[in-house]
Amino acid sequence: MTDRYSRLVDQYHRDGFVILRNVIDDHLIKECHQHVEFLQKKYPSIPGEHLHHPIMRNDPFWVRLITDQHLLDLVALFGAPFIKPNEGIALFSSHHFCKPPKTGMPVLWHQDGSYWPLKPMDVLTIWLAIDDSDRENGCLRVIRGSHKQELNSLKDDLTVNNVLGSYTHRNEDIDQSQIVDLVLKPGDVSIHHPNIIHSSEANTSDRRRCGLAIRYIAPTTECLNKEQPVMMMRGKSIAGINHYRSWPKYRPGYDFPFEDCEQWNEKRRIEPEDESYFDRTDYDQMDQEIQDKVFAFIAKLGGKAPPK
C-alpha cells in the first residue's frame, strides 16, 4: 500500500486532492450498489443526495465499508502528520451523495471545513465512487491548490435548488483555469483537504451518480456537536475527547445482508454506554426517528422535508 501510493502524498499536499484508482474491488462495489438500493427502498422519502450520518449510525454494512482496511491504510498514509500510527483513526461523518438521473441537484462552490464543528480541523475526506462519476452526471470539481486558503464563512443561497443550501465562494470568485474535474470509475477514490474549494454540477444525464463521502479525523480532534455519531475506526480513543458510538449490530431480517455479516457482531467495536440502542427491536419506530433526524439535518442546510 505504502509503495503504491507514497509518491502521490506530495501531490496531495501540493494540490489539496489526489485520485487513486481501483481501491475497492468489484465484489464490494457490487454490494455497495445493492446497499444503496436497499437504503432508498427503506427510506423512499429521503432524497438520494441526503443519505446522511443518522442512517450510518444504525447500518452495519455502511460501517463495514468505511472500516475497510484499504481505506484506513490510505487515511494513515495521507492523513499524516495529524493521523499518527500510535493514536488511531476516528470517524466524524459519512454521507451518500446519490444524484438521480436528470434531477440530481448541484452543490455550490464551498469548503467543507466551513460546515464542520471540529477543533482542530484535522480531518481527511475520502470520496468513494460507487457509480461512474464524470462531467455529464455531475462529478466533483475542485480548485487545484485552493486548500492553502483560509476557510470562508457560509452564505445562504436558495435561489437555485442545491444540496447544501449555501456556498462559501461565488462562481465569479473562482479561477476557472484551476478547475479539475474528478472523473472516477466505481472503486476509485479521491482524497481531499477540508479547505479545498469544490462543487459539483446538476446531473442532467440519463445515469445516476452515486458516491460516498467519508470524513476521518484524528482522535485528538474534538467534535463540538455531541449528537454526531463519532466512531473509532482503528486504535484507541483518548479520554475526555468525543463521545464515541458502537459500531452497529447486524440484525438478520432487518439490516442489509452482506458477505460475512454473520461474523460482523464478533468484529464490531462496542462502547458499553451505547449498547442499549442496539437492544431495541421497535424497528419501525427506529426508522421513523432516523428519518426525522435526516430531515432535521436537511432543514439546517436550507432544505425541506416532504409534505405529510
Side-chain angles (χ1 to χ4, degrees):
M1 174 70 73
T2 300
D3 292 341
R4 181 182 179 188
Y5 295 127
S6 58
R7 65 182 179 81
L8 297 176
V9 173
D10 288 343
Q11 178 186 333
Y12 169 73
H13 289 292
R14 182 185 69 242
D15 296 338
F17 74 95
V18 70
I19 291 175
L20 308 175
R21 305 293 183 188
N22 301 311
V23 173
I24 298 298
D25 64 47
D26 292 342
H27 175 75
L28 185 51
I29 287 297
K30 182 178 179 181
E31 284 194 308
C32 291
H33 279 272
Q34 296 168 344
H35 178 244
V36 170
E37 293 171 1
F38 171 86
L39 292 180
Q40 294 193 298
K41 183 177 180 180
K42 188 175 184 180
Y43 303 105
S45 61
I46 297 177
E49 297 94 338
H50 285 294
L51 298 172
H52 287 287
H53 55 268
I55 303 173
M56 174 203 72
R57 185 257 196 279
N58 191 45
D59 190 293
F61 175 77
W62 194 323
V63 176
R64 176 265 174 268
L65 177 59
I66 61 182
T67 56
D68 188 273
Q69 295 307 306
H70 292 91
L71 298 179
L72 295 183
D73 286 346
L74 291 179
V75 177
L77 180 62
F78 287 87
F82 66 83
I83 296 288
K84 297 178 175 63
N86 61 333
E87 290 184 354
I89 299 169
L91 178 90
F92 159 60
S93 179
S94 184
H95 173 191
H96 275 290
F97 289 88
C98 193
K99 296 186 181 184
K102 297 295 186 183
T103 61
M105 294 185 286
V107 178
L108 306 182
W109 291 109
H110 70 285
Q111 296 164 294
D112 285 339
S114 297
Y115 290 86
W116 293 341
L118 299 176
K119 183 181 179 180
M121 193 57 65
D122 288 340
V123 54
L124 186 83
T125 294
I126 288 183
W127 200 97
L128 169 64
I130 294 172
D131 297 334
D132 287 301
S133 183
D134 50 45
R135 280 296 306 275
E136 287 71 29
N137 68 357
C139 68
L140 194 67
R141 314 184 78 199
V142 302
I143 308 302
R144 188 191 307 273
S146 61
H147 65 299
K148 298 173 184 177
Q149 300 180 25
E150 296 296 321
L151 293 174
N152 272 19
S153 59
L154 296 173
K155 303 171 183 66
D156 294 338
D157 189 344
L158 299 178
T159 60
V160 58
N161 193 23
N162 68 93
V163 175
L164 301 178
S166 58
Y167 66 92
T168 59
H169 292 74
R170 300 172 300 173
N171 194 56
E172 51 265 38
D173 299 328
I174 299 302
D175 182 350
Q176 302 292 316
S177 69
Q178 295 302 308
I179 296 176
V180 181
D181 295 309
L182 303 189
V183 177
L184 306 175
K185 303 294 289 184
D188 295 346
V189 306
S190 64
I191 300 177
H192 61 273
H193 190 279
N195 288 39
I196 199 167
I197 303 167
H198 60 291
S199 70
S200 63
E201 296 182 351
N203 182 6
T204 58
S205 76
D206 294 324
R207 297 171 290 119
R208 189 186 72 175
R209 194 229 67 176
C210 186
L212 178 65
I214 317 166
R215 327 291 194 179
Y216 298 100
I217 60 175
T220 50
T221 292
E222 181 182 6
C223 177
L224 304 177
N225 179 359
K226 303 308 179 184
E227 297 300 314
Q228 195 76 17
V230 182
M231 298 178 188
M232 282 299 299
M233 304 278 97
R234 176 187 284 178
K236 296 182 179 180
S237 59
I238 297 175
I241 301 179
N242 295 323
H243 171 60
Y244 289 101
R245 308 299 180 90
S246 295
W247 292 4
K249 181 185 293 185
Y250 176 72
R251 295 144 294 188
Y254 172 65
D255 293 307
F256 172 73
F258 54 95
E259 185 176 18
D260 296 330
C261 58
E262 294 84 1
Q263 287 77 47
W264 172 254
N265 290 343
E266 300 172 8
K267 302 175 182 178
R268 58 189 285 262
R269 295 181 73 120
I270 292 174
E271 301 292 339
E273 293 181 359
D274 195 49
E275 279 301 277
S276 61
Y277 183 84
F278 296 107
D279 291 335
R280 294 176 59 177
T281 57
D282 54 337
Y283 296 144
D284 289 343
Q285 178 61 30
M286 291 176 71
D287 289 342
Q288 184 61 54
E289 291 170 6
I290 290 167
Q291 178 174 283
D292 291 345
K293 288 180 179 179
V294 170
F295 281 119
F297 188 79
I298 295 172
K300 291 180 180 178
L301 297 174
K304 297 180 180 179
K308 295 182 178 180

